[in-house]
Amino acid sequence: AQKITQTQPGMFVQEKEAVTLDCTYDTSDQSYGLFWYKQPSSGEMIFLIYQGSYDEQNATEGRYSLNFQKARKSANLVISASQLGDSAMYFCAMRDYTVAGTALIFGKGTTLSVSS
Amino acid sequence: NAGVMQNPRHLVRRRGQEARLRCSPMKGHSHVYWYRQLPEEGLKFMVYLQKENIIDESGMPKERFSAEFPKEGPSILRIQQVVRGDSAAYFCASSPSDRTPRNQPQHFGDGTRLSIL
């Protein structure tokens, strides 16, 4: 069965520092996509970044980058130059493309706290 | 606002009452997913619908929960005879078809926070 594991319940970082949020996944499929979402205290789910299983380059979106290591089945999110507004819950999710319309599978999340 | 719209944002019910949660997908989208988020947890898939059809309800409890997506109007998630354990945030996401492009994320509504007294 597919599974997403986020082993860090909470992470603390100072402003302007970089932080890595860990995500490992388990799937027997060859075609899948990995996503990161941010959930601030206001509760909405904000899409951050995507990595496809066949993408050779690590995805980047502004201050967000995804450290994709396929052999290790890991897809860690790196946030560079942290800002106070980055304090939120972060979720790693996976979609399996071998079945049409498949929903996302989420990890339990990591709470990031950024201090000044 | 062209995004996924959910209402109400907050819903309070007493045990035994019914809860109705609404989701209007993005314009042009005919596929809807419902997820539930329990406190301190990630989102868990409940049901996947397209207009007038339930495609996959494997994540939805067999009793008390039902979902529909009529030809006209929003998708509705209905919870009958609510219990305290139904307290959660319920999110909806939509997509234009079942052949979602690989890199297309699911965009979520802001969720409905259901509290059971």
Side-chain angles (χ1 to χ4, degrees), chain B residues 21-92:
Chain B
L21 288 62
R22 292 174 187 76
C23 169
S24 295
M26 290 177 72
K27 190 173 181 179
H29 286 194
S30 58
H31 293 246
V32 162
Y33 300 80
W34 285 93
Y35 294 81
R36 176 164 66 175
Q37 184 181 27
L38 296 171
E40 310 301 321
E41 297 276 329
L43 277 67
K44 285 206 167 36
F45 166 72
M46 297 182 74
V47 60
Y48 166 42
L49 311 100
Q50 71 177 93
K51 289 243 180 223
E52 299 183 282
N53 276 313
I54 295 175
I55 307 299
D56 182 349
E57 55 183 348
S58 59
M60 198 157 68
K62 296 280 186 281
E63 295 180 354
R64 303 190 297 109
F65 285 73
S66 62
E68 62 177 10
F69 189 14
K71 191 176 178 181
E72 301 291 336
S75 175
I76 306 284
L77 179 67
R78 187 165 75 161
I79 312 172
Q80 296 177 296
Q81 298 174 331
V82 296
V83 301
R84 289 245 169 91
D86 296 333
S87 295
Y90 292 81
F91 287 90
C92 168

Side-chain angles (χ1 to χ4, degrees), chain A residues 31-33 35 37 39 42-45 47 50 53-54 89 91 95 97 100-109, chain B residues 9 33 35 37 40-45 48 89 91 97-110 113:
Chain A
S31 180
Y32 52 88
F35 301 81
Y37 285 84
Q39 186 177 43
S42 48
E44 68 268 31
M45 294 291 288
F47 165 69
Y50 161 86
S53 57
Y54 292 117
M89 192 86 161
F91 292 98
R95 173 188 281 150
Y97 289 111
T102 305
L104 294 172
I105 298 162
F106 284 84
K108 290 194 172 187
Chain B
R9 189 78 196 269
Y33 300 80
Y35 294 81
Q37 184 181 27
E40 310 301 321
E41 297 276 329
L43 277 67
K44 285 206 167 36
F45 166 72
Y48 166 42
F91 287 90
S97 73
D98 61 352
R99 294 287 169 187
T100 307
R102 289 178 180 275
N103 62 345
Q104 184 72 43
Q106 283 192 342
H107 291 284
F108 290 85
D110 286 346
R113 273 97 194 138

